[in-house]
Amino acid sequence: MKKHDLIVIGAGPGGYVAAIRAAQLGLDVACIESESALGGTCVRVGCIPSKALLEASERYHEAAHTLKDFGVNVSGVELDLPKMLERKTKVVDALTGGVAFLFKKNKITRYLGHGRVVGPGRVNVEGSAPEELSAKHVLIATGSSVAPLRGVELDGDRVGTSTEALAYAEVPKHLVVIGAGYIGLELGSVWNRLGAKVTVLEYLERILPGMDSDIAEEAERIFTRQGIEFKLGSKVTAAKTEGDSVRVSIEGQPDIVCDRVLVSVGRVPNTTGLGLDTVGIELDPRGRVPIDDHFRTYVEGFYAIGDVVRGPMLAHKAEEEGVACVEHIVTGYGHVNYDAIPGVVYTHPEIASVGKTEDELKAQNVPYRKGTFPFLANGRARALAATEGRVKILAHQTTDRILGVHIIGARAGDLIAEAAAAIEFGATSEDIARTSHAHPTLAEAMKEAAFAVAGRAIHV
Ligand code: NAI
């Protein structure tokens, strides 16, 4: 039996970051991962490859359609999809290799195989190189997998998940996306730009549930203009492959026949087959591991973070939790501020959000003031030809403390960092308004939206 101080099961953004931080704090750390490449869904088949493809498809679209507006004429623009996919793979390989390097640097012992809890402080590694491990602390960071959809059988080819949609060998003629959430919109955008007809079927009467509804409505208008077709209030009952095509059945509507289907109706925590029951860890009704404020399960020595616990399934949320969890184990302190976790949809334009939505403030009867500023009135956005969208700041009616910031527009994912820091520091909208923002930058739209909270934006 090999002894360590901490065993981390799962090397995704939650697990690998926790492992590195724990090693920095002086623990002898083991990390068990069933995939040969480290980094989890995010690095291997999620955030990173999708961003590589989003960037590439945007460059292609620009070259083919919009560079001429800048006075740059390009002729003979051709899509080289194999090259685009090869570049995506290189980006992923560099990053998974980077995590392996960081493990070595921090002297983390890596085990390849499936981790299974077999008793208090004991975890077995199953696979071609079985091991028996023990440690005082065990951290479950096994992430999530695609939620299944009744009537829709994933065949790993024509009817697939984001994993398949990141590697279609050719541009689909007609891609049907089930679910207008993060994944559906990001990957729907990629294939729309590369020339596919894209139809998004969404069960609810809106896209991006959970995001601020004003911003989601604007997003729907923009994506519709880009050529994506939305069918809201659509309940998919079946998707069946018929030779080279797929027939998608929707309750109360005619079938759609297409050549590819992307199922993106959410994700479910990976908590089965881990042996959690052997030590008495009971799951909640959604299959998640219940934890306290310090990521402790209700069984001594076992902790859980990331997609297997409550809260949004986001890589950076898992990272924060991983750090806070191991810091609490070692130092007795460790905290995550869930009011300051941004969410970003990497479409073009991007959509980013932090804190409360206007819908939530209304539902909770919180008195607020609102300031919005359109990118159309921002000089840099004009120069970039990125005038779609706006910044919306929600601040408390009496204290002026910033409660939520929602942005749709170019580089919204980068701009939201200022808002997250503002919320983290308990800033008011006046604090942002009185902060000098370099000119000409997109970030000035944040300053102007903050001025707008008090009804005194300069440029509108
Ligand atoms: P999601 O939860 O974002 O969206 C799923 C969508 O599917 C919802 O709009 C839901 O109403 C709809 N839906 C559910 N059942 C349906 C049905 N039967 N028919 C039609 N529509 C249905 O889930 P998604 O996009 O699969 O992403 C999974 C997770 O991965 C999310 O929690 C997300 O936070 C995370 N993620 C984050 C990204 C980012 O941070 N940029 C990118 C990709 C994923």
Side-chain angles (χ1 to χ4, degrees):
M1 178 156 342
K2 297 205 168 126
K3 243 181 127 166
H4 298 275
D5 297 326
L6 168 70
I7 299 168
V8 180
I9 310 180
Y16 89 69
V17 169
I20 292 173
R21 184 70 192 116
Q24 286 176 345
L25 290 164
L27 298 189
D28 172 347
V29 184
C31 185
I32 309 172
E33 167 59 54
S34 53
E35 295 285 337
S36 55
L38 301 173
T41 301
C42 170
V43 182
R44 291 184 303 105
V45 286
C47 328
I48 297 301
S50 62
K51 260 80 276 173
L53 279 190
L54 278 155
E55 198 60 44
S57 62
E58 184 54 29
R59 302 273 170 112
Y60 167 71
H61 191 265
E62 266 177 21
H65 301 285
T66 54
L67 279 184
K68 61 179 185 307
D69 301 336
F70 289 80
V72 181
N73 290 331
V74 198
S75 56
V77 177
E78 274 177 36
L79 173 64
D80 184 347
L81 186 58
K83 174 96 188 170
M84 208 179 257
L85 296 176
E86 189 190 308
R87 176 184 173 274
K88 173 205 74 177
T89 305
K90 276 192 192 147
V91 171
V92 169
D93 290 349
L95 288 173
T96 55
V99 180
F101 163 79
L102 292 173
F103 269 26
K104 274 207 188 101
K105 181 182 158 200
N106 288 285
K107 303 190 173 50
I108 294 162
T109 313
R110 178 182 162 181
Y111 294 96
L112 177 65
H114 177 85
R116 186 186 300 274
V117 174
V118 290
R122 292 197 42 213
V123 183
N124 284 358
V125 181
E126 298 173 343
S128 53
E131 296 278 3
E132 290 181 3
L133 311 182
S134 75
K136 186 169 177 206
H137 310 286
V138 177
L139 173 56
I140 299 144
T142 45
S144 59
S145 355
V146 171
L149 182 56
R150 191 197 289 248
V152 177
E153 201 178 313
L154 300 171
D155 65 7
D157 180 22
R158 299 221 162 257
V159 183
T161 67
S162 49
T163 305
E164 286 78 34
L166 285 166
Y168 294 150
E170 51 195 54
V171 179
K173 285 186 204 59
H174 186 182
L175 169 66
V176 166
V177 174
I178 310 177
Y182 282 72
I183 295 179
L185 293 179
E186 290 184 5
L187 288 173
S189 292
V190 164
W191 295 106
N192 176 53
R193 273 181 225 146
L194 296 180
K197 172 179 175 176
V198 175
T199 304
V200 180
L201 306 176
E202 167 60 48
Y203 179 67
L204 301 175
E205 291 295 342
R206 56 164 293 174
I207 69 168
L208 292 170
M211 282 256 174
D212 191 272
S213 53
D214 271 356
I215 298 285
E217 271 171 35
E218 185 155 356
E220 190 193 329
R221 276 195 300 275
I222 292 174
F223 300 146
T224 302
R225 265 204 306 275
Q226 292 175 357
I228 295 179
E229 178 187 32
F230 288 96
K231 287 182 180 286
L232 304 180
S234 297
K235 185 174 177 201
V236 174
T237 52
K240 284 201 179 64
T241 309
E242 299 174 345
D244 283 348
S245 54
V246 187
R247 177 174 294 276
V248 181
S249 308
I250 310 160
E251 202 174 85
Q253 292 181 44
D255 291 356
I256 300 180
V257 177
C258 60
D259 57 338
R260 295 264 181 202
V261 173
L262 161 60
V263 181
S264 50
V265 293
R267 297 181 63 87
V268 287
N270 290 332
T271 46
T272 50
L274 290 176
L276 299 182
D277 48 335
T278 59
V279 288
I281 296 177
E282 286 176 17
L283 303 178
D284 75 8
R286 291 165 67 178
R288 300 175 301 194
V289 181
I291 47 163
D292 69 7
D293 287 348
H294 299 298
F295 313 98
R296 291 179 293 211
T297 70
Y298 294 94
V299 174
E300 173 91 30
F302 286 89
Y303 308 78
I305 55 159
D307 287 6
V308 294
V309 302
R310 80 283 179 274
M313 290 182 169
L314 297 171
H316 47 278
K317 174 255 192 191
E319 288 181 23
E320 294 302 321
E321 291 181 335
V323 169
C325 174
V326 297
E327 286 188 346
H328 190 265
I329 290 173
V330 178
T331 68
Y333 300 96
H335 175 70
V336 175
N337 177 1
Y338 290 95
D339 286 329
I341 307 262
V344 181
V345 190
Y346 295 90
T347 42
H348 191 85
E350 294 178 350
I351 306 162
S353 164
V354 63
K356 300 270 187 247
T357 63
E358 195 169 350
D359 317 69
E360 284 171 327
L361 295 181
K362 279 185 188 149
Q364 293 163 14
N365 283 321
V366 178
Y368 66 92
R369 291 190 298 171
K370 164 166 74 169
T372 60
F373 188 80
F375 283 104
L376 199 61
N378 172 278
R380 185 65 180 277
R382 287 256 176 194
L384 287 167
T387 51
E388 285 177 315
R390 68 197 138 119
V391 177
K392 167 166 152 179
I393 297 184
L394 303 165
H396 194 277
Q397 175 78 43
T398 46
T399 65
D400 192 35
R401 192 169 170 150
I402 296 174
L403 303 173
V405 178
H406 307 279
I407 310 174
I408 177 165
R411 301 284 163 198
D414 295 313
L415 297 177
I416 203 71
E418 178 184 8
I423 290 181
E424 188 68 47
F425 287 123
T428 61
S429 75
E430 189 179 350
D431 290 328
I432 300 247
R434 291 188 184 279
T435 302
S436 175
H437 287 64
H439 177 75
T441 56
L442 295 172
E444 285 172 290
M446 183 81 81
K447 179 184 172 90
E448 286 275 18
F451 268 134
V453 171
R456 56 191 190 99
I458 305 283
H459 291 92
V460 276

